Amino acid sequence: MLPGSILQQLAIAHEQSPRPLRFGVYYKNTLVALCHALEDSILSSHSQPLVIAAFQRGKWYLQEAERYQELAAESRQVVIMAAAESGFFEHSTSQLANVALVDLDPTDPVAQEWHLIILSPTYTAMVLCQELSPSDYGAAGLPKTDLERKFYGFWTFEPALVQEIVELAIAHIGKYNPSLQQTLTAQVKDIVAAGDSPLPEDLSGIVSRVVDYLQISQEDLIANQHPEVAAAQQPVLDVNLVSNKLQAFVRMAQLIELVSTGNPMATSEVAALAEVMGQMLDLPAWQLKRLKLAGWLHGLVALPITENLVVSPFPSCSLVSEVQALRRMPRLQAIAHIITHQTEWWNGQGIPAGIAGEAIPLESRILGLIAHFDRLVNQFAQELPNSPPQEIWQQALGECQTEAGDRWEPKLVETLTLLVMGMQQGLSLPIAPPKITSGIWLLDTPQAAEIHTAEANRNYIYGT
Amino acid sequence: MELNAIRDGKIKCLPGADLEDADFVGADLRGINLAGANLTGANFSRANLERAHLEGANLMAAQLIGTDLRAHLLGANLMQADLTGADLRGSNLRGANLMTAKLIQASFAGAFLSGANLTNGNLQGADLRGADLRGVNLTGANLLGADLSYADLTGVLLNQANLEEADLQGANLAGANLTGANLLCAELAGANLTGANLTGTCLLGAAV
């Protein structure tokens, strides 16, 4: 990371945080689609945001300047950072009253960065990346085409992170233009005062747009709309697009979970617990992976409100749209099916289908129990901050045990009991934020034969 | 026909058999003994080979896509084999030859691979959590997004390997050769790099 770059400042600020940031690799092809989707969401959100964009060089801005004219009309303020090249100041977009230009010194590390930061009371998003230097490409060699240029960094919808970055960016802008810094600082103050929503409005619509735009890029690659990209390189770009489609969903699920539990690691905890539980049940590798991905995405369905639960601020009807968004990716349909049925009850009294027993997909039964257990653990940890974790686990387990046979499959509650015993004796779970690249395999639908084998194994496990 | 009898589970003991290019797609071959057999080019995709004895078997260019291969593979030859999505959790692959094998998204969690040769193997997205990879040759291997957390990689050869976005959290890389390797955005928190050779290694965005 370049010293003094915004990415590096973000990394340093989060070095000691309980949830370290994980940077990803992005090809320019992916970044263009991602940024266009996030920018176009400004037009549909009517949120009048502050937009800060860093383009490296004036010529990259000029390629987008026509689009930015439309974006400026729907924005409170647009700031463009780039190392000026001819036409930078002259373009009609540059002349607009609410567009400010920052002519970056070519030696400024920020001139190697690609930012899109959107802050408003109802819509927040950001992309923060840095380009590899020619020597960083190493043995693989320099990219042959513009679309293959490689960046690394981070993107998110999370309002708190976006606000943090806006403040870093404004401080940097202040080195060039102190009066603009003052104006922007005042605007941020107004936006923060006006926004009390922890979650962007219409998040599922924005995520759907991101997925659609990445899909279009992928189709363009497949249809060879970019003959300049060598055939050998196309799968690499393709994987990067697919993994970002999945990341869009995971980010949405994480954010919903964060808002409803207050725990930024809730999603990772559920995924790790579900995987260990699957291992204890000796599920085959493909089913474990599917279970883990469903764990990452389970937050897309709000749990039904009961007296034992922290009341979710989201009515379940509106969240169905998040699951529908998932179905836009054909290979995620199995996951959508699992998380849709995680709220069924073993006795058939649950929702949405009211199915009972083994008619409920096994992964849904596991996930429902684990998500409920984790939610109780988080709730008790907040209510009883001085209790040791062993007691909190025991209490949460106790609640699950009282509902065995009604809400939960008794065998699964027994397995959870063993898991909790293990945790009380020092078993630690590898709770890590999702690594999306390795998650791609999860998207492959297993062959019918594998499902058959899984059912056979399952009967073997339960002796039926 | 012998092949049908094997597929139906009637014949379980075939050490050293010649079954080149045989078709065992989806077959239930749990516990079969094929030690030292010639299985070159055979197709075991989605078959169940749990606890099978394949020590020293020749599986060169075999198809093992999605196969349950939690088996005994000591010294087996899997050169150029396709093991995409195969389940090798806890398997014994010590000294096996996996040169240029396709191991995309394969599960090797807790497997024993010490002394195996994985030169130029494709291990994209593979799960190698806690695996014993001591002294393994992974020169030029593609480990993009692979999970190597808590794996033992002591003295491993990873020169020119692609470890982009790989998870090496808590891994032991003591004495590893990472010359010219790509660790862009890799996760290295808690990894032991004592005595590792990092000449020309790209560590941008890596969480150390």
Side-chain angles (χ1 to χ4, degrees):
Chain A
M1 261 164 284
L2 294 170
S5 62
I6 310 249
L7 190 68
Q8 193 218 23
Q9 293 177 50
L10 176 74
I12 291 171
H14 284 262
E15 239 165 28
Q16 301 303 325
S17 89
R19 183 182 47 152
L21 295 177
R22 282 199 160 178
F23 295 139
V25 179
Y26 307 95
Y27 290 89
K28 181 171 174 183
N29 192 40
T30 301
L31 283 180
V32 168
L34 183 58
C35 288
H36 281 180
L38 298 178
E39 287 162 358
D40 286 355
S41 297
I42 294 172
L43 303 178
S44 63
S45 70
H46 305 297
S47 56
Q48 292 291 316
L50 162 64
V51 181
I52 301 175
F55 283 94
Q56 301 175 306
R57 295 170 61 179
K59 69 168 184 176
W60 306 124
Y61 155 66
L62 288 171
Q63 284 183 1
E64 302 289 328
E66 293 299 321
R67 286 171 48 79
Y68 268 72
Q69 193 131 31
E70 283 177 61
L71 296 172
E74 291 286 342
S75 301
R76 182 185 308 239
Q77 173 78 54
V78 175
V79 183
I80 308 290
M81 293 194 272
E85 284 168 319
S86 64
F88 183 56
F89 295 102
E90 291 77 16
H91 194 278
S92 58
T93 303
S94 310
Q95 313 285 329
L96 293 169
N98 66 338
V99 173
L101 302 181
V102 177
D103 177 7
L104 295 176
D105 181 339
T107 62
D108 183 340
V110 177
Q112 304 305 322
E113 290 191 306
W114 176 322
H115 305 166
L116 172 64
I117 308 164
I118 301 164
L119 183 73
S120 79
T122 54
Y123 169 40
T124 54
M126 95 176 169
V127 175
L128 192 71
C129 283
Q130 201 167 103
E131 184 164 11
L132 265 65
S133 72
S135 63
D136 296 331
Y137 283 99
L142 292 176
K144 307 280 183 298
T145 70
D146 193 50
L147 292 178
E148 296 168 60
R149 282 165 52 203
K150 231 167 161 176
F151 295 73
Y152 64 102
F154 188 74
W155 71 275
T156 187
F157 299 111
E158 204 176 314
L161 272 173
V162 175
Q163 199 190 321
E164 192 182 333
I165 285 299
V166 163
E167 281 158 13
L168 290 174
I170 291 175
H172 195 79
I173 290 164
K175 293 176 194 164
Y176 291 89
N177 186 341
S179 75
L180 180 59
Q181 180 183 19
Q182 280 181 359
T183 312
L184 297 174
T185 305
Q187 286 175 342
V188 169
K189 210 174 155 194
D190 290 348
I191 291 169
V192 172
D196 54 358
S197 162
L199 205 62
E201 267 178 30
D202 189 30
L203 185 54
S204 68
I206 296 160
V207 167
S208 296
R209 182 174 289 112
V210 169
V211 172
D212 285 350
Y213 284 31
L214 292 166
Q215 176 71 27
I216 292 165
S217 282
Q218 208 185 346
E219 283 164 7
D220 277 359
L221 269 181
I222 294 164
N224 204 18
Q225 295 294 311
H226 297 286
E228 73 278 17
V229 178
Q233 187 64 9
Q234 286 190 6
V236 180
L237 298 190
D238 187 70
V239 162
N240 202 245
L241 289 162
V242 174
S243 85
N244 277 282
K245 282 197 265 183
L246 184 56
Q247 283 192 48
F249 289 117
V250 171
R251 267 142 226 249
M252 172 161 65
Q254 272 181 314
L255 196 47
I256 292 169
E257 269 288 286
L258 171 63
V259 169
S260 60
T261 66
N263 175 3
M265 296 303 283
T267 298
S268 302
E269 285 170 9
V270 170
L273 282 166
E275 190 187 21
V276 173
M277 184 108 154
Q279 284 165 349
M280 292 170 77
L281 295 165
D282 199 22
L283 299 186
W286 65 264
Q287 207 172 13
L288 282 175
K289 289 171 176 168
R290 205 160 80 170
L291 185 58
K292 195 170 180 183
L293 181 57
W296 284 337
L297 294 170
H298 83 282
L300 298 179
V301 174
L303 292 172
I305 295 160
T306 73
E307 60 202 24
N308 291 329
L309 285 172
V310 179
V311 175
S312 161
F314 310 103
S316 54
C317 54
S318 78
L319 281 169
V320 174
S321 67
E322 269 86 38
V323 182
Q324 285 310 331
L326 211 54
R327 291 185 205 271
R328 295 171 99 91
M329 275 179 88
R331 291 188 291 178
L332 278 180
Q333 297 216 359
I335 304 296
H337 186 64
I338 292 167
I339 63 177
T340 298
H341 292 289
Q342 64 175 320
T343 46
E344 304 290 354
W345 285 33
W346 180 247
N347 65 8
Q349 302 293 305
I351 54 165
I355 46 178
E358 296 193 5
I360 310 165
L362 174 62
E363 294 98 323
S364 307
R365 278 177 266 150
I366 297 172
L367 189 59
L369 175 60
I370 290 295
H372 182 68
F373 172 76
D374 190 64
R375 206 164 265 247
L376 290 171
V377 167
N378 279 305
Q379 184 195 333
F380 295 148
Q382 277 176 19
E383 289 170 7
L384 311 160
N386 297 321
S387 299
Q390 288 81 355
E391 262 174 46
I392 288 170
W393 295 331
Q394 193 60 45
Q395 200 176 341
L397 175 66
E399 298 252 351
C400 297
Q401 283 169 331
T402 57
E403 291 181 303
D406 292 330
R407 188 165 173 185
W408 316 116
E409 179 177 356
K411 296 261 186 195
L412 294 184
V413 177
E414 283 170 28
T415 310
L416 179 63
T417 306
L418 289 174
L419 176 54
V420 171
M421 278 168 63
M423 281 160 46
Q424 284 170 335
Q425 285 163 21
L427 168 78
S428 65
L429 302 178
I431 294 165
K435 285 293 280 187
I436 306 298
T437 318
S438 47
I440 291 172
W441 160 253
L442 301 163
L443 299 177
D444 285 346
T445 318
Q447 302 293 323
E450 286 178 271
I451 295 167
H452 184 76
T453 317
E455 286 307 315
N457 284 347
R458 186 177 142 58
N459 291 341
Y460 172 69
I461 295 160
Y462 289 144
T464 52
Chain B
M1 172 68 195
E2 194 187 32
L3 273 183
N4 283 331
I6 300 169
R7 268 196 293 261
D8 295 344
K10 287 178 185 137
I11 306 178
K12 287 265 182 199
C13 194
L14 291 138
D18 186 2
L19 292 161
E20 193 171 331
D21 295 326
D23 179 1
F24 294 113
V25 175
D28 183 352
L29 302 169
R30 277 179 278 188
I32 196 167
N33 184 351
L34 288 163
N38 175 15
L39 301 161
T40 311
N43 191 345
F44 288 96
S45 295
R46 298 187 306 281
N48 190 345
L49 283 158
E50 201 185 336
R51 293 188 303 278
H53 286 272
L54 291 156
E55 293 96 336
N58 186 359
L59 285 148
M60 195 166 146
Q63 301 284 307
L64 294 145
I65 301 165
T67 305
D68 186 340
L69 209 53
R70 288 177 289 174
H72 307 280
L73 288 151
L74 179 87
N77 181 9
L78 286 148
M79 195 165 147
Q80 291 167 15
D82 187 346
L83 292 112
T84 301
D87 187 353
L88 292 129
R89 286 175 293 160
S91 299
N92 183 357
L93 285 145
R94 287 194 178 99
N97 179 4
L98 290 144
M99 273 172 79
T100 64
K102 201 167 161 188
L103 301 155
I104 300 171
Q105 312 281 3
S107 295
F108 286 96
F112 303 92
L113 287 136
S114 55
N117 187 350
L118 288 125
T119 308
N120 293 322
N122 187 350
L123 291 124
Q124 213 172 307
D127 177 4
L128 290 141
R129 284 178 288 180
D132 175 4
L133 292 154
R134 285 174 294 172
V136 165
N137 188 350
L138 281 156
T139 305
N142 182 2
L143 287 146
L144 174 80
D147 190 346
L148 291 143
S149 51
Y150 302 98
D152 190 349
L153 292 148
T154 310
V156 79
L157 300 179
L158 278 162
N159 18 338
Q160 310 301 330
N162 180 10
L163 287 150
E164 202 168 289
E165 294 188 346
D167 192 345
L168 289 152
Q169 214 174 147
N172 186 0
L173 285 150
N177 187 347
L178 287 151
T179 311
N182 171 12
L183 276 96
L184 184 63
C185 296
E187 175 72 47
L188 285 158
N192 176 10
L193 287 156
T194 316
N197 185 346
L198 295 164
T199 317
T201 308
C202 172
L203 284 159
L204 282 176
V208 186

